[in-house]
């Protein structure tokens, strides 16, 4: 693990960097977004980003993490059944080429494998740049891995879809609470991605209730562009906490159009 996800030496430095800093923010790199928000995104938070199929929830998170990595920050991207090479190619379509960051270890991939997905993942081609995490019957291994990764100073993202299908909702909610505690202790910016159409409404509401920051995407087709309506339900350490921002999806990623605050 040390060779891919970093050494112990950065942990203390990274923790001290955020001690007592309640309102440190990170820039998103999304044109107009930080101006519309009135600031960057507060660090030390876990952001639950949910969206319908066809929305730009994934692209939103990838664009922010890409801006992090070109700003000399480190990223750990957790995937499950989706190969990391597919993610690299998808990002390249939006002019985000992360290959050099993957090659030098600034951007790393962890493959979180639920026990019922082991055969599927083992059938996929081996990728030496991915670290496999055998989850077993609980998510304890994932929580331990995230603790080490976040304490090493990496911003993170993990997709919940395969985990929700494989583990009880109590395990999912506990994992969210643990990631929040790691984020508050060590700082950085962290995401979990949820596809709303794929899960029961009660489960979705339980997950959103567990998260300290919730972003919800819906998508509309307008002329030749996809318009994404981002409803920010809550963000820890940001006021006002609720607002709506419109984002257009083009060849070079997302950009902000207009903003309307919710009073």
């Amino acid at each position: 693990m040390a060779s891919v996800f970093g050494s112990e030496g950065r942990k203390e430095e990274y923790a001290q960097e955020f001690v007592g800093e309640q309102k440190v923010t990170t820039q998103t790199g999304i044109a107009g977004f930080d101006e519309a928000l009135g600031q960057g995104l507060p660090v030390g938070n876990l952001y639950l980003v949910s969206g319908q199929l066809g929305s730009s929830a994934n692209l939103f998170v990838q664009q922010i993490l890409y801006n992090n990595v070109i700003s000399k920050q480190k990223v750990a991207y957790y995937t499950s059944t989706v190969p990391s090479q597919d993610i690299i190619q998808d990002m390249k379509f939006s002019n985000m080429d992360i290959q050099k960051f993957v090659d030098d270890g600034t951007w790393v991939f962890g493959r979180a494998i639920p026990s019922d997905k082991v055969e599927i993942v083992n059938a996929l081609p081996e990728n030496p740049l991915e670290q496999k995490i055998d989850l077993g019957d609980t998510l304890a291994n994932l929580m331990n891995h995230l603790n080490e990764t976040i304490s090493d100073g990496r911003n993170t993202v993990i997709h919940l879809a395969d985990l929700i299908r494989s583990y009880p909702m109590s395990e999912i909610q506990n994992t969210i609470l643990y990631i929040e505690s790691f984020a508050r202790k060590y700082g950085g910016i962290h995401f979990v991605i949820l596809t709303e159409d794929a899960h029961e409404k009660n489960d979705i509401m339980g997950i959103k209730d567990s998260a300290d920051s919730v972003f919800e995407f819906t998508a509309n087709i307008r002329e030749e562009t996809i318009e994404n309506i981002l409803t920010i339900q809550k963000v820890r350490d940001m006021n006002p906490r609720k607002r709506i921002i419109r984002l257009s999806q083009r060849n070079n990623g997302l950009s902000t159009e207009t903003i309307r605050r919710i009073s």
Side-chain angles (χ1 to χ4, degrees), residues 46-50 61 160 176 190-194 204-216 234:
L46 172 67
Y47 294 87
L48 172 63
V49 182
S50 69
V61 172
L160 289 181
I176 288 173
H190 309 281
F191 299 94
V192 291
I193 300 177
L194 176 66
I204 292 171
M205 291 308 298
I207 292 170
K208 289 180 179 178
D209 189 53
S210 300
D212 58 21
S213 304
V214 177
F215 288 11
E216 300 174 350
K234 56 181 177 177

Side-chain angles (χ1 to χ4, degrees), residues 67-223:
N67 188 66
N68 290 164
V69 81
I70 64 175
S71 301
K72 310 301 183 184
Q73 299 178 53
K74 297 187 293 184
V75 169
Y77 198 114
Y78 289 85
T79 162
S80 184
T81 56
V82 178
S84 58
Q85 199 58 41
D86 288 2
I87 295 166
I88 293 171
Q89 290 302 318
D90 286 346
M91 292 182 67
K92 193 177 288 188
F93 287 140
S94 296
N95 294 319
M96 295 182 286
D97 189 352
I98 63 169
Q99 189 61 59
K100 66 180 181 181
F101 301 112
V102 173
D103 291 341
D104 68 16
T106 308
W107 183 300
V108 297
F109 285 98
R111 181 72 75 91
I113 311 171
S115 56
D116 59 347
K117 301 292 191 303
V118 171
E119 290 186 9
I120 296 173
V121 173
N122 286 342
L124 297 171
E126 286 285 336
N127 186 338
L129 297 177
E130 292 178 352
Q131 181 172 4
K132 289 186 178 179
I133 308 153
D134 188 355
L135 300 182
D137 295 330
T138 73
L139 292 174
N141 286 344
L142 177 61
M143 287 186 275
N144 290 335
H145 203 281
L146 281 161
N147 184 23
E148 293 189 33
T149 301
I150 294 171
S151 69
D152 184 49
R154 291 190 184 271
N155 300 324
T156 66
V157 59
I158 185 164
H159 290 260
L160 289 181
D162 285 324
L163 301 183
I164 292 174
R165 297 186 190 103
S166 302
Y167 295 95
M169 191 52 53
S170 59
E171 286 269 319
I172 302 298
Q173 291 175 313
N174 285 341
T175 299
I176 288 173
L177 294 173
Y178 270 101
I179 299 173
E180 286 177 351
S181 71
F182 304 151
R184 294 184 189 192
K185 181 176 182 181
Y186 298 110
I189 186 166
H190 309 281
F191 299 94
V192 291
I193 300 177
L194 176 66
T195 304
E196 295 212 13
D197 312 62
H199 311 292
E200 296 292 332
K201 285 189 177 181
N202 286 342
D203 291 342
I204 292 171
M205 291 308 298
I207 292 170
K208 289 180 179 178
D209 189 53
S210 300
D212 58 21
S213 304
V214 177
F215 288 11
E216 300 174 350
F217 274 88
T218 56
N220 297 313
I221 305 297
R222 193 178 70 179
E223 297 178 351

Side-chain angles (χ1 to χ4, degrees), residues 27-40 60 63 230 232 243-248 250 252-261:
Q27 300 300 298
T28 64
I30 298 172
F33 185 82
D34 297 332
E35 292 81 1
L37 201 62
Q39 61 180 74
F60 176 77
Q63 202 164 335
L230 170 57
I232 300 177
R243 61 190 79 190
I244 291 174
I245 298 177
R246 288 178 170 82
L247 297 163
S248 290
R250 296 186 171 86
N252 60 347
L254 297 172
S255 60
T256 304
E257 289 189 342
T258 59
I259 179 171
R260 178 167 62 84
R261 294 188 177 184

